Structure formats: structure tokens, C-alpha cells
């Protein structure tokens, strides 16, 4: 049962709408500050002789120079080792994991001030969505509350739970969206529930299995690291608020190395950051997370405080319509941020580099190229190719040479760029030719206008220096990657659907919510909400083919938790079936479902428990485009 909450119910703290102008991105200097290479996250000492790497990682609020020096610092959230205050950063320092050695993380919600009182969100939280809803108490949590009139933003303590994106782990360590928890603050409002619907169940299971106690304001997860060597990442996954928590800064890399599906040291460019590296250490393997953000003139993060920012609809809202007053169907920032800095530069040598690229944007697709001039007419000619060697689930069967990289939100591309022929003093630019709106497929300049070349069409600059040490790595065209073992025969074909629903009360207003679902006997979509009965319930150990029918006009990045799947191809009505793209032929955990197409994939479900699958456009995920998935 969902509690009825009148809008007059006073929030624990008063929301005051900020009166701040949005910073013009054209006034932000480019290529002023160097690219930050995230160091390795410090570990803590575990039990003597225990073959487990232990971490205690908190989430805190702090200021960071995201904009160039001379402009104000930005208040952000970030992860860090609680025993190393200098490790708190946006994005997080990298967790370095080894195949076969489990990692155990004590994830702590430390979103409280020095006085011990909770910190409200940096961004406007829409309390009318189906979300964590701590004010609802144990009976009304993880639900869509009912209001008598339009409420203001939620200003209470913030729920979090961290998901390791790409890992294959037990349900209690997945970072399930309804297993969130509030900070251990002194002033949690009376009647609020401190944890999500599944927190206590997963706490009990974990403590019984591992003998590790979860305390107030935290959860402890263990990652087995039995997967192939891969590029994973971790980020917040709390119900209905993920878009805001990630936008505030909660994301970081998790790199799994070693095992039978890795290459010997020295074959690929390196080193990458390691614990205890001396100052000034040079790195030739660099993780790169690209995000779009907007800022206010005072340096603070800017995010829409009302629906009108999306389509101009300024009401009516509750009780006269079914449109949420704050939520936006998508968000596209006007400034590009790479590894926590706007438009940075990287000094390189004429040698090969390995970049592990993550699209960390909320909704923006990236089409990346390396070019000779940042303002070159789009689409611009490529100056150097990318050699993609891996995707989300590890190495591809063989290297793929590409003039550009299409990367959807949450996708990763493990690439080598060979700068050996680039003369010292040369400047090259990483640019983006994806659209400044929802991606619907097609080619830049033909099917859509590329991103603004002066702002969101630029990412970072490479400044070429001289070679300091000989490059002995293997040229990418000559690489032999680890053997790829495809999944076995599928025992079932499962059909699922992607839909968009407009307002039921205001026919001229579109994008009320995004929905996953099934198909009926005639092949029409059967849209379903989060709270509807579970329909995706593979048997333990089953290998299934999923056919994702996209009935919307946008391309959606679909992520299935705790599996690595193979993309089989796509088909559209009246056209021949298309095989997977060359860069999609390894294991993946996120796939682009193109509009009007049926995207086919194959997965083996070998972890029992309760998980989720969802669209990774975070605004979609936060408003119903996520469904529970039970295995076994």
C-alpha cells in the first residue's frame, strides 16, 4: 500500500529554487588542464592469510576543480577509501582486481556533514516517480507515492547502493535497486525508513555466507572475479534516483586482470596506475570516462529543476495530469567532462597507448574520432584509427580497425591508438560527432546533425612530445587475442519489448514514462511497470535468446545484470537480418537496441537470484524502464 502524501507535508528541509544562470560553455577555456589519470584505489588490510582484497569505500561530498583553474570549483559527490581522505575524487580511483582473487568492499553512505547531519541532494529530486521513497516508511518505500497537489523536490537524506556493472556475482552483492540505504546521520526524520525493501534480506544472506556484519549506513559486497579479464565500472543504482546520483559523481572503473583470457604483460601498452606508484609515473594504459555536464556560473552542477526544460510543458501537474513535474525524459549537458575535468589535454609520446573508454553520460551517445582540427567541418576525416581489442566482457576474437567509435551510455571500448608515426609537436583532438539529442541510428551529417563542434563536439586534446623509452609492445594489427569461447545452444527464445507512453490525460504531451515489457500473441507490445509480476525468469543454467523489440523512435542501450551475452544480430521488417557489428562480436553486457528493430542476443543465466534488466539512459531507467529479473 502506498501512503497518500499531501503536498503540504513539510519536507525535512526547505527547498529553495536556485537563482543561478547556466554557464555558457563557450566561455569555458579548452585544453587548459591536464587529463587526470585515476590512481588505484587503496585497499585495507583484511584478515590474516585471507585470500581476499578488502576495501572500505565511502561516498562523500566535496569540492573539485572540474572547470579550468580561474573558474569556481564544483561541489560533487565521489567515492574514496575512508582511510585515505585524499582518495575521494570524481570519478573514483580505480579498483584493480585480479582473476580468481575475490574483492570485498564495505560501501558506506557518508553523505552527511561534519556535524553528523545528513546532506540533501545537490540536484532536484522528483518525489512523484516510482523511487526509493524513504518518507514512505517500510510500507510505502520503493513505490510511487500519491500526492493531492504538486509537491516540491525531495530534500531528505539520500539513498544509495552501488552496482558493479559487468560483474557476475550473487544477488546480495549486485547492488539491487531496492537494497539501498541512507547515511548513518544524527537527524534522520521520524517515520523515514533507512533501507530499501531487499536490504535486510540481502544483509542476512551475506552475513550468513561470509560472516561479515553490515552496519548502519553501509553494505558489504563480495565480487568473485571469476570472469574474463574485462573493463567493468561501478556506479550508484538506487531506485528512481540513479540519474541524479551518477550525475553528481558516483562512478568509477573496476579493471579485472589476469586469468586465461588475458595477455602477458608487455604485449599491450602499459603500465596502468598501481598502488604505490611514485610521483610523475608515466602511464600508457589509461581509463577514460566521458560525460556531459552543465554548470552554473558559480561552478555548481546544473540539472533541470522542472519538466519545462525538456519540452516547455509547464503544467498542469498533479492532480490535473499524469506528468511528473521535475523528471526530464532525457538530459544532454552543454559541456564535455573527461575523467572529471572539462576539455583536458594529454601529453603523449609517439608510441602506442591503450585507452579503456567508458561512455558515462546519462543519455548521450558518443561517436568518437581523432582529428587534426577541433573545429573541422563535421563529419571530419579521421587522422588516426582506433584498434578496438575489447568490449564490456573482455577481449574480442580479433582486433578491429575503426575510423570512429560509436559508444552508447554504459558501453566500454578497449582500444589501442598507435601514435608512433606522429611527429613531436603535433596536436590531435578527440572529437564527438554524436547528436545533441536522443540517438535514433544513422550517420552523422546525413541522418542527424552532429554535436556542436564548438562545445559538445570536442572531448580532449593530445599533445605529442618525444619518445622517452622504446615501445616494445605488439602492433595492434599483429595481435593474437586470447581464445574466444562462444556460448552453447539456446533452449528458449524470449521476446521482450521497449515502449514509450504519452500522457493519458493530455494527449499533446509525450514521454510520460518509458516501459519494458513482453509481446502478445499478435506481436504487439505489452508494456509493464516495475511493480508488475516478474516475466523474465530463466531457469538456473539456462541459455536463452532474447529478442528485444523496440517500438520507440530512439535507440536504447539495454543492460542485463550479472550476465555477459553475445549479440546475434538485428532485423527490421522487410529487410535482411544484419549480423552484429565487428566491434560487437565479443561478450557484452550492454547492447544498442535500434528503433524499429529486433535486436537478438544470447545469454547464459548461471547465477541464481533476483536481478534487473533496464535501459541505461538513466532518465529512462529512473521512470519505469527497468524490470526485475529472477533466475532459478
Amino acid at each position: 500500500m502506498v501512503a497518500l502524501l499531501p503536498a503540504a507535508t513539510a519536507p525535512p528541509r526547505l527547498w529553495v529554487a536556485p537563482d543561478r544562470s547556466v554557464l555558457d560553455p563557450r566561455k569555458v577555456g579548452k585544453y587548459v588542464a591536464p587529463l587526470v589519470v585515476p590512481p588505484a584505489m587503496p585497499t585495507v588490510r583484511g584478515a590474516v592469510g585471507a585470500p581476499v582484497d578488502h576495501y572500505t569505500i565511502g561516498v562523500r561530498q566535496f569540492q573539485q576543480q572540474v572547470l579550468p583553474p580561474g573558474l569556481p570549483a564544483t561541489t560533487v559527490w565521489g567515492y574514496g577509501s575512508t582511510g585515505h581522505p585524499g582518495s575521494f575524487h570524481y570519478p573514483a580511483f580505480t579498483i584493480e582486481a585480479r582473476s580468481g582473487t575475490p574483492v570485498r568492499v564495505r560501501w558506506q553512505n557518508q553523505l552527511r556533514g561534519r556535524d553528523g547531519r545528513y546532506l540533501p541532494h545537490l540536484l532536484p529530486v522528483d518525489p512523484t516517480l516510482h523511487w526509493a521513497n524513504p518518507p514512505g516508511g517500510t510500507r510505502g518505500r520503493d513505490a510511487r507515492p500519491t500526492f493531492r497537489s504538486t509537491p516540491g523536490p525531495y530534500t531528505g537524506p539520500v539513498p544509495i547502493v552501488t552496482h558493479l556493472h559487468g560483474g557476475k556475482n550473487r544477488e546480495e552483492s549486485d547492488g539491487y535497486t531496492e537494497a539501498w540505504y541512507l547515511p548513518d546521520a544524527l537527524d534522520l526524520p521520524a517515520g523515514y525508513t533507512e533501507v530499501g525493501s531487499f536490504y535486510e534480506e540481502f544483509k542476512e544472506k551475506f552475513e550468513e555466507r561470509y560472516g561479515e556484519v553490515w552496519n548502519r549506513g553501509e553494505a558489504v559486497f563480495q565480487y568473485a572475479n571469476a570472469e574474463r579479464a574485462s573493463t567493468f565500472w561501478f556506479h550508484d543504482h538506487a531506485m528512481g534516483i540513479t540519474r541524479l546520483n551518477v550525475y553528481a559523481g558516483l562512478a568509477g572503473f573496476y579493471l579485472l586482470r589476469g586469468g586465461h583470457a588475458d595477455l602477458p604483460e608487455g604485449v599491450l601498452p602499459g603500465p596502468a596506475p598501481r598502488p604505490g606508484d611514485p610521483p610523475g609515473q608515466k602511464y600508457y594504459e589509461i581509463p577514460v570516462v566521458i560525460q556531459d555536464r552543465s554548470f552554473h556560473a558559480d561552478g555548481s552542477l546544473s540539472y533541470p529543476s522542472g519538466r519545462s526544460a525538456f519540452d516547455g510543458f509547464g503544467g498542469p501537474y498533479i492532480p490535473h495530469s499524469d506528468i511528473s513535474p521535475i523528471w526530464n525524459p532525457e538530459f544532454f549537458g552543454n559541456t564535455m567532462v573527461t575523467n572529471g575535468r572539462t576539455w583536458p589535454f594529454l601529453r603523449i609520446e609517439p608510441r602506442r597507448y591503450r585507452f579503456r573508454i567508458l561512455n558515462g553520460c546519462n543519455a548521450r551517445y558518443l561517436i568518437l574520432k581523432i582529428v587534426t582540427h577541433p573545429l573541422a567541418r563535421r563529419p571530419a576525416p579521421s587522422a588516426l584509427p582506433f584498434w578496438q581489442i575489447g568490449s564490456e566482457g573482455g577481449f574480442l576474437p580479433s582486433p578491429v580497425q575503426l575510423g570512429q567509435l560509436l559508444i552508447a551510455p554504459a558501453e566500454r571500448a578497449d582500444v589501442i591508438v598507435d601514435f608512433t608515426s606522429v611527429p613531436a609537436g603535433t596536436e590531435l583532438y578527440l572529437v564527438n560527432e554524436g547528436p545533441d539529442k536522443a540517438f535514433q541510428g544513422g550517420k552523422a551529417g546525413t541522418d542527424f546533425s552532429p554535436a556542436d563542434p564548438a562545445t559538445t563536439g570536442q572531448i580532449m586534446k593530445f599533445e605529442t612530445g618525444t619518445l622517452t623509452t622504446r615501445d616494445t609492445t605488439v602492433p595492434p594489427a599483429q595481435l593474437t587475442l586470447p581464445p574466444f569461447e562462444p556460448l552453447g545452444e539456446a533452449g528458449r527464445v524470449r521476446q521482450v519489448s521497449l515502449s514509450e507512453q504519452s500522457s493519458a490525460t493530455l494527449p499533446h504531451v509525450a514521454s510520460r514514462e518509458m516501459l519494458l515489457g513482453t509481446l502478445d500473441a499478435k506481436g504487439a507490445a505489452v508494456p509493464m511497470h516495475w511493480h508488475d509480476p516478474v516475466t523474465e525468469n530463466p531457469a538456473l543454467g539456462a541459455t536463452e535468446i532474447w529478442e528485444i523489440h523496440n517500438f520507440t523512435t530512439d535507440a536504447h542501450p539495454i543492460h542485463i545484470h550479472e550476465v555477459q551475452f553475445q549479440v546475434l544480430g538485428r532485423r527490421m521488417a522487410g529487410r535482411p537480418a544484419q549480423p552484429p557489428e565487428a566491434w560487437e562480436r565479443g561478450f557484452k553486457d550492454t547492447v544498442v537496441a535500434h528503433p524499429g528493430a529486433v535486436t537478438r542476443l544470447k545469454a547464459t543465466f548461471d547465477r541464481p537470484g533476483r536481478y534487473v534488466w533496464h535501459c541505461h539512459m538513466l532518465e529512462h531507467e529512473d521512470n519505469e524502464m527497468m524490470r526485475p529479473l529472477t533466475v532459478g
Side-chain angles (χ1 to χ4, degrees):
M1 180 176 178
V2 179
L4 184 70
L5 299 177
T9 299
R13 296 184 191 167
L14 181 65
W15 168 265
V16 179
D19 183 16
R20 295 173 293 186
S21 60
V22 176
L23 180 63
D24 183 350
R26 289 170 174 79
K27 296 181 179 179
V28 178
K30 294 183 179 66
Y31 316 125
V32 176
L35 178 77
V36 174
V37 180
M41 183 73 76
T43 59
V44 296
R45 184 170 299 176
V48 176
V52 177
D53 291 338
H54 290 258
Y55 295 83
T56 300
I57 298 176
V59 168
R60 294 179 184 173
Q61 178 172 300
F62 50 90
Q63 286 204 315
Q64 182 172 309
Q65 195 65 50
V66 180
L67 295 164
L71 291 175
T74 301
T75 300
V76 296
W77 292 351
Y79 295 99
S81 171
T82 58
H84 303 80
S87 67
F88 283 83
H89 191 266
Y90 152 64
F93 287 13
T94 300
I95 295 179
E96 284 281 347
R98 298 165 291 163
S99 177
T101 301
V103 162
R104 186 175 299 175
V105 183
R106 186 173 294 275
W107 298 104
Q108 298 184 334
N109 186 343
Q110 298 181 335
L111 291 174
R112 56 181 185 264
R114 294 183 179 179
D115 59 0
R117 302 176 70 216
Y118 72 81
L119 294 171
H121 214 293
L122 299 175
L123 307 168
V125 178
D126 193 330
T128 71
L129 302 180
H130 188 136
W131 76 295
N133 193 34
T138 55
R139 295 183 67 188
R141 63 187 169 184
D142 298 316
R144 184 186 294 268
T146 303
F147 296 89
R148 295 193 180 99
S149 59
T150 303
Y154 168 81
T155 58
V158 178
I160 69 166
V161 63
T162 300
H163 167 57
L164 177 59
H165 187 125
K168 297 175 66 174
N169 299 291
R170 295 183 180 275
E171 60 178 352
E172 62 267 23
S173 295
D174 177 54
Y176 189 68
T177 189
E178 290 184 339
W180 52 265
Y181 45 97
L182 299 181
D184 181 12
L186 298 175
D187 61 337
L188 295 182
Y192 279 43
T193 185
E194 296 186 31
V195 298
S197 304
F198 281 85
Y199 178 92
E200 294 290 353
E201 176 185 330
F202 292 158
K203 174 180 186 289
E204 181 179 342
K205 287 182 176 180
F206 191 94
E207 291 178 349
E208 182 177 328
R209 181 178 301 279
Y210 298 107
E212 187 96 20
V213 174
W214 296 16
N215 298 310
R216 190 181 186 212
E218 68 176 25
V220 188
F221 296 163
Q222 180 147 317
Y223 309 118
N225 296 324
E227 306 89 348
R228 305 170 83 233
S230 301
T231 303
F232 300 152
W233 65 300
F234 55 92
H235 60 82
D236 179 75
H237 213 286
M239 169 66 78
I241 199 172
T242 297
R243 71 197 182 286
L244 303 178
N245 290 355
V246 172
Y247 191 86
L250 299 186
F253 281 96
Y254 184 111
L255 303 182
L256 178 58
R257 303 181 189 274
H260 70 281
D262 204 354
L263 292 172
E265 189 171 339
V267 173
L268 299 177
R274 295 286 194 275
D277 281 346
Q281 173 71 50
K282 291 181 179 293
Y283 300 115
Y284 306 116
E285 180 196 319
I286 300 175
V288 176
V289 55
I290 302 169
Q291 299 170 302
D292 56 343
R293 298 288 184 263
S294 293
F295 300 87
H296 293 289
D298 64 2
S300 60
L301 290 168
S302 175
Y303 189 88
S305 59
R307 168 65 185 242
S308 61
F310 176 74
D311 57 7
F313 178 70
Y317 300 116
I318 299 170
H320 303 293
S321 83
D322 53 4
I323 298 296
S324 292
I326 299 175
W327 173 79
N328 278 226
E330 291 105 24
F331 173 76
F332 299 92
N334 61 21
T335 305
M336 302 309 293
V337 177
T338 304
N339 286 5
R341 282 189 175 164
T342 57
W343 293 301
F345 67 86
L346 176 66
R347 291 195 174 96
I348 59 170
E349 299 177 21
R351 62 186 303 141
R352 288 177 281 275
Y353 282 74
R354 181 184 187 184
F355 297 108
R356 298 182 187 243
I357 302 175
L358 160 66
N359 181 344
C361 299
N362 279 29
R364 180 185 295 274
Y365 280 67
L366 300 170
I367 299 177
L368 303 178
K369 283 183 181 177
I370 297 173
V371 302
T372 56
H373 196 286
L375 296 174
R377 183 175 179 178
R378 309 298 203 256
S382 170
L384 282 178
F386 301 97
W387 285 88
Q388 185 165 348
I389 59 173
S391 54
E392 295 93 82
F395 289 107
L396 299 176
S398 60
V400 178
Q401 184 178 2
L402 300 167
Q404 65 181 32
L405 293 176
L406 168 64
I407 311 182
E411 285 191 309
R412 284 88 73 202
D414 189 352
V415 303
I416 294 174
V417 178
D418 193 341
F419 296 100
T420 55
S421 62
V422 178
T426 301
E427 295 181 343
L428 296 171
Y429 298 86
L430 183 65
V431 301
N432 167 42
E433 294 185 351
D436 282 327
K437 61 179 183 179
F439 180 66
Q440 298 178 336
K443 296 182 179 180
T446 301
D447 301 296
F448 58 84
S449 297
D452 182 354
T455 56
T456 50
Q458 297 185 48
I459 305 294
M460 61 181 287
K461 179 172 76 168
F462 300 105
E463 298 180 350
T464 311
T466 58
L467 191 66
T468 58
T469 58
R470 191 165 67 93
D471 186 354
T472 59
T473 62
V474 177
Q478 301 174 20
L479 279 172
T480 299
L481 300 179
F484 180 79
E485 300 175 6
L487 299 175
E489 184 176 349
R492 173 176 177 169
V493 176
R494 185 182 298 273
Q495 295 184 316
V496 297
S497 63
L498 316 181
S499 303
E500 178 176 341
Q501 290 201 338
S502 300
S503 172
T505 57
L506 301 170
H508 63 285
V509 180
S511 302
R512 172 168 61 98
E513 58 190 10
M514 313 293 176
L515 298 172
L516 305 176
T518 58
L519 270 67
D520 65 17
K522 296 181 179 180
V526 180
M528 308 187 80
H529 291 84
W530 170 260
H531 64 265
D532 288 325
V534 176
T535 50
E536 286 68 58
N537 51 359
L540 180 61
T543 298
E544 295 190 352
I545 291 174
W546 283 29
E547 295 186 340
I548 305 171
H549 295 247
N550 185 354
F551 293 94
T552 79
T553 58
D554 298 336
H556 296 269
I558 299 300
H559 171 47
I560 305 176
H561 280 217
E562 304 303 334
V563 298
Q564 291 289 341
F565 52 73
Q566 287 180 258
V567 179
L568 302 180
R570 298 172 178 86
R571 67 171 186 263
M572 298 185 70
R575 301 184 189 178
Q578 298 296 314
E581 302 287 357
W583 61 86
E584 294 182 312
R585 295 182 180 179
F587 285 114
K588 291 178 61 63
D589 56 45
T590 306
V591 65
V592 177
H594 288 281
V598 179
T599 302
R600 304 179 72 245
L601 59 86
K602 183 194 292 186
T604 297
F605 297 88
D606 54 3
R607 296 289 186 279
R610 188 178 186 90
Y611 304 103
V612 302
W613 68 285
H614 60 88
C615 174
H616 221 287
M617 294 172 74
L618 299 184
E619 283 76 18
H620 293 185
E621 170 187 337
D622 275 351
N623 193 3
E624 297 291 354
M625 208 168 194
M626 177 165 60
R627 290 278 294 147
L629 162 70
T630 60
V631 179

